[in-house]
Amino acid sequence: MNHLSRKKIQQIQHMFPSFAHLPAESWEAAQLLSINPATSHSIREGHILQHAMFIVSGQIRVFKLSQTGREITLYRVHSGQCCVLIMASILGETEYEASVAIEEETDVLLLPVSVFRDWMNTIKPIRQYIYKQFIDRMTNVTKLLDNIAFQPLPYRIADYLISEFVKGDCLRLTHEQLAIEIGTSREVITRILKSFAEQGAIELSRGKIIILDRGILNRIIKQHL
């Protein structure tokens, strides 16, 4: 990792407009790290963070792991975003409350914790950006918790499939991966997907779910509202 060039700083400022308010010398401690799914890291529950992290490009997944080893995805962090649980851990001087999985080639801006806190204290647009990230993410996580607490699994799975099929009619996803997204067991996912297939809503093949009738999925959702 080297000091950032002017071109790199401009690229970062394009993704994070609030950083445009920083004086040139404020970038001296900043570093840009390129990571991928094979990159080893220690950002897991209980970790004490030494750096604030901002996703310049790529994507990471933030998840919780139960004592029995079951995962549930909390949210994903994309280009121009940060992980609010990381920010909360840094600002509250507490252990990190989740774990991170790197899902693709990703560039991460790293700031030493002391530098980030100084930016938060002195640069109002950065402070406003962080608070907005908290608000946006809180809304998403509240919906997740509401679904877990009050919605049955067929609703949650149908809702997830409808939201993902906006990107196309074929979802490349194993039953195990879907179980991690929803926060249940693979066996339960398989049973409910087979039920959806028997109703004509989807077609199942190895590592893929193909949507056949969105209307049936929507009816499943409405049945459980």
Side-chain angles (χ1 to χ4, degrees), residues 59-74:
Q59 174 178 283
I60 64 170
R61 181 174 66 92
V62 179
F63 65 94
K64 288 283 286 184
L65 189 65
S66 74
Q67 291 182 346
T68 60
R70 182 175 296 173
E71 290 184 28
I72 183 169
T73 299
L74 298 179

Side-chain angles (χ1 to χ4, degrees), residues 38-203:
T39 301
S40 177
H41 67 85
S42 59
I43 309 176
R44 298 178 179 85
E45 194 161 350
H47 183 64
I48 298 296
L49 294 150
Q50 303 300 315
H51 294 84
M53 305 174 194
F54 300 85
I55 304 301
V56 179
S57 66
Q59 174 178 283
I60 64 170
R61 181 174 66 92
V62 179
F63 65 94
K64 288 283 286 184
L65 189 65
S66 74
Q67 291 182 346
T68 60
R70 182 175 296 173
E71 290 184 28
I72 183 169
T73 299
L74 298 179
Y75 52 81
R76 286 176 168 80
V77 186
H78 305 277
S79 304
Q81 298 178 337
C82 63
C83 173
V84 297
L85 286 176
I86 285 179
M87 299 306 161
S89 175
I90 290 171
L91 295 174
E93 299 183 36
T94 59
E95 296 178 349
Y96 188 48
E97 295 290 341
S99 297
V100 165
I102 306 161
E103 294 196 311
E104 59 186 56
E105 292 280 347
T106 301
D107 286 339
V108 183
L109 175 68
L110 298 179
L111 296 175
V113 164
S114 59
V115 174
F116 170 68
R117 288 182 179 143
D118 183 59
W119 286 16
M120 281 286 290
N121 290 332
T122 59
I123 311 295
K124 183 178 179 181
I126 292 179
R127 191 161 59 247
Q128 291 173 322
Y129 161 78
I130 295 296
Y131 291 158
K132 186 177 186 303
Q133 289 279 293
F134 272 112
I135 293 169
D136 292 345
R137 196 62 72 184
M138 188 179 299
T139 300
N140 294 335
V141 173
T142 299
K143 179 182 177 183
L144 172 66
L145 293 176
D146 180 74
N147 281 342
I148 293 172
F150 303 113
Q151 301 296 351
L153 281 168
Y155 170 98
R156 292 169 55 200
I157 295 169
D159 184 59
Y160 179 85
L161 293 178
I162 285 288
S163 66
E164 288 298 308
F165 277 127
V166 170
K167 305 168 186 176
D169 288 333
C170 178
L171 184 61
R172 296 189 178 278
L173 190 72
T174 67
H175 294 192
E176 181 66 31
Q177 290 169 327
L178 182 54
I180 288 172
E181 294 298 315
I182 299 296
T184 188
S185 68
R186 181 185 58 78
E187 292 77 13
V188 170
I189 291 292
T190 297
R191 175 172 54 80
I192 293 174
L193 288 179
K194 284 182 177 179
S195 172
F196 288 1
E198 289 170 358
Q199 296 176 61
I202 61 174
E203 178 184 321

Side-chain angles (χ1 to χ4, degrees), residues 5 24 223:
S5 66
Q223 286 171 4

